[in-house]
Amino acid sequence: MLMLRTFMTLVLMLTPHWEVASSALPGAASQPRHHVVEIQAFQFQPQRTVVLPGDTIQWINRDIVPHTVTANGGTWESQTLGEGQSWEVIVENNGVYSYFCEFHPNMTGVLAAH
Amino acid sequence: MKTITQSLAYLTLASAVLVGCMSTTNPATAKYDGEKTAMMKKEVAMKNEAMKKEPQLNDLQIAHIAYTAGAIDIRYAHLALALSDNPEVQKFAELMVRDHTAVNNKALALVKKLQITPEDNPTSQQLNQQAEQIREELSQLRGEDFAKRYAANELGYHKTVNNVVENTFIPTAQNPELKALLNAALQTFKVHQGHAAEMNQKVMGS
C-alpha cells in the first residue's frame, strides 16, 4: 500500500493556565532539538518526552490503524494520522502537557517542556 | 463461527489427548492405564477422522475469513450508527468502522502485493449467515435494548475472533507477511475487546 507521509508543522503558543508561561529562549546556547515519538502497539513511545522550548516533537504512527495526538483540554490536536503519517509541534513555552489518542483514549503520553 | 471453533476444538482436544498419551505408566494401575490408553487411541482416531473431514485452513482461506470477520463488524457498526443514539455505542461503532476499514485495506494491499486471491470457504459463508441473523435481530431493536444487545454481541464477537486468530490463524498461517498482519490485527482487536468491555459496563449500567 502506498504509504502516505504528510508532514504538518504547527507552531503553538502553549500556555496552560496552571503554569506560568515563559517566553522561548531565543538566545539559548543549545540548538533546538528534534524529538521523535513513535506511536506503536497502541502506545506513545517514549510515553514521556522531556524537551526544551524551541524543540520540535514529531509523532509518527507505526500502527496499521489511525491515531491522533490530542492534548488534554483541547489545547492542540493533530489531524488523523494513518499508518506512516506524522505530525509535528514546536513548543515555545514551558509546561507539562498530557495528551492522548482521541480514538483510543487509553493511549496517553506526556510532554514536559522546561 | 461454529466451524472455526470446531477446528480449534479439534486441535485442542488432539493436543490434550496426545499429552495424555505421553504420561508415564504406573504398574499398579497398568490395567486401568491400558484401558485408558485404548480409549485414548480410539479418541485420537476419531479426532483424526474429524480433522480429515475438517481440513486445516490454508493461507488463502485464513485471509478470506479474517477479511470477512472485519467486514461483518463494519456492517454491525453501520447498523449501530444508523439505529442508536447512545453515545457509547456511537463512539465504539465509529471506532470499529475506522479501525476495521484500515485493517481490511491493509489486507487488500497485501493480497494485491502477493497477487493472490483469497479463497471463499464454508467458514466464511457460515460467518456471513450468522451475521445476517444477528443484523436482523439487531434491526428489530431500539434504544436501550439495541445498545445492550450490540454491546454484548461486540464483546462476544471480539473474544471469539481473537481466540481463533491467536490460537488457530497465526500458528497455521504460512506466509510471513500474512502472519505479521494477523499479529498486528490481533493487537488491534484485543484493544477493541477492551473497549467493548468498557462499553458493556457503561451500557449495562445505564
Side-chain angles (χ1 to χ4, degrees):
Chain A
M1 185 174 74
L2 177 64
M3 307 272 273
L4 296 175
R5 296 174 65 89
T6 59
F7 295 92
M8 293 185 63
T9 301
L10 182 64
V11 179
L12 297 172
M13 298 299 289
L14 301 174
T15 54
H17 61 83
W18 64 90
E19 296 251 352
V20 177
S22 65
S23 62
L25 303 173
S30 60
Q31 290 292 313
R33 292 176 299 168
H34 185 89
H35 306 264
V36 174
V37 178
E38 299 212 345
I39 306 173
Q40 195 162 31
F42 288 83
Q43 291 179 330
F44 294 105
Q45 300 175 356
Q47 196 268 341
R48 180 182 176 87
T49 310
V50 179
V51 304
L52 290 171
D55 288 355
T56 301
I57 302 91
Q58 179 185 31
W59 287 266
I60 305 175
N61 182 13
R62 302 290 188 202
D63 279 342
I64 61 174
V65 297
H67 293 295
T68 72
V69 181
T70 305
N72 284 342
T75 313
W76 39 276
E77 180 175 17
S78 72
Q79 78 279 22
T80 298
L81 301 176
E83 183 185 15
Q85 291 184 319
S86 68
W87 183 70
E88 292 181 359
V89 157
I90 297 174
V91 176
E92 293 214 336
N93 296 313
N94 287 343
V96 177
Y97 311 100
S98 298
Y99 62 90
F100 63 101
C101 169
E102 193 179 345
F103 304 146
H104 313 94
N106 293 334
M107 293 171 57
T108 61
V110 174
L111 194 62
H114 51 71
Chain B
M1 194 55 64
K2 186 181 174 187
T3 309
I4 299 176
T5 48
Q6 276 178 343
S7 302
L8 181 61
Y10 291 144
L11 290 169
T12 308
L13 279 168
S15 302
V17 169
L18 287 171
V19 169
C21 288
M22 287 191 294
S23 57
T24 52
T25 303
N26 180 342
T29 56
K31 185 182 176 187
Y32 170 74
D33 284 350
E35 289 171 357
K36 191 176 173 185
T37 302
M39 286 175 62
M40 285 178 173
K41 283 180 178 174
K42 190 177 177 183
E43 195 172 355
V44 168
M46 288 171 66
K47 299 306 172 194
N48 285 342
E49 190 62 30
M51 287 184 74
K52 283 179 190 170
K53 291 176 184 174
E54 194 83 26
Q56 193 176 46
L57 297 165
N58 63 43
D59 281 6
L60 300 179
Q61 292 168 327
I62 289 173
H64 196 283
I65 297 166
Y67 186 92
T68 300
I72 284 171
D73 211 28
I74 290 171
R75 290 195 66 182
Y76 287 147
H78 281 304
L79 192 63
L81 290 169
L83 295 183
S84 178
D85 56 4
N86 182 300
E88 294 300 327
V89 167
Q90 288 271 327
K91 190 169 66 175
F92 186 87
E94 286 171 0
L95 179 68
M96 293 304 100
V97 172
R98 188 184 304 111
D99 283 2
H100 282 294
T101 300
V103 173
N104 274 5
N105 285 343
K106 188 85 177 167
L108 288 176
L110 180 60
V111 162
K112 188 176 178 183
K113 179 188 173 188
L114 298 175
Q115 297 183 312
I116 58 172
T117 304
E119 186 180 309
D120 195 8
N121 58 83
T123 302
S124 289
Q125 291 160 13
Q126 197 163 8
L127 273 175
N128 275 323
Q129 285 172 4
Q130 290 175 351
E132 194 173 332
Q133 291 172 4
I134 292 171
R135 281 197 302 273
E136 176 64 24
E137 181 192 342
L138 282 169
S139 66
Q140 307 300 319
L141 303 173
R142 294 292 184 275
E144 195 176 315
D145 291 340
F146 180 95
K148 287 181 177 176
R149 183 70 185 94
Y150 175 76
N153 183 58
E154 283 301 308
L155 182 56
Y157 189 68
H158 278 90
K159 280 182 180 174
T160 304
V161 170
N162 290 348
N163 187 23
V164 174
V165 171
E166 184 165 24
N167 296 305
T168 303
F169 288 1
I170 291 173
T172 306
Q174 299 298 306
N175 182 285
E177 288 183 272
L178 175 61
K179 203 181 272 280
L181 178 56
L182 288 168
N183 272 304
L186 178 63
Q187 191 173 60
T188 302
F189 302 158
K190 282 185 172 178
V191 170
H192 291 173
Q193 186 177 322
H195 285 300
E198 290 171 9
M199 172 175 62
N200 267 272
Q201 283 185 339
K202 290 173 182 171
V203 167
M204 297 304 173
S206 64

